[in-house]
């Protein structure tokens, strides 16, 4: 697995946890968006950035 694939996988795993927390009302939409920004900065995922730009995660 190369660095890009690893970063993408780590982002997807992390954001899936955040989505579950959002759906279970553990965090609100603003907190989710903040977490997403942090994760995007940390992992620089290609596919994750596309989802984020299109607002498909919600």
């Amino acid at each position: 697995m190369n660095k890009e694939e690893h970063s993408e996988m780590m982002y997807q795993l992390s954001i899936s946890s955040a989505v579950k927390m959002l759906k279970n009302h553990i965090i609100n939409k603003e907190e989710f968006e903040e977490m997403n920004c942090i994760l995007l900065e940390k992992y620089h995922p290609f596919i994750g950035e596309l989802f984020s730009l299109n607002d498909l995660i919600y």
Side-chain angles (χ1 to χ4, degrees):
M1 178 180 307
N2 65 35
K3 184 179 177 183
E4 291 81 17
E5 291 170 335
H6 183 262
S7 291
E8 184 67 41
M9 181 183 69
M10 295 303 296
Y11 172 80
Q12 294 297 332
L13 288 170
S14 299
I15 203 65
S16 69
S17 295
V19 168
K20 287 178 186 176
M21 289 189 288
L22 179 64
K23 288 181 179 181
N24 289 322
H25 306 287
I26 296 169
I27 60 174
N28 60 36
K29 187 173 179 179
E30 291 78 25
E31 292 168 319
F32 174 83
E33 290 172 355
E34 184 177 341
M35 290 175 72
N36 189 40
C37 287
I38 292 168
L39 293 170
L40 287 170
E41 287 179 22
K42 181 174 183 175
Y43 295 117
H44 302 286
F46 176 73
I47 296 171
E49 286 179 351
L50 293 176
F51 284 135
S52 180
L53 291 172
N54 290 310
D55 205 29
L56 296 175
I57 295 174
Y58 299 106

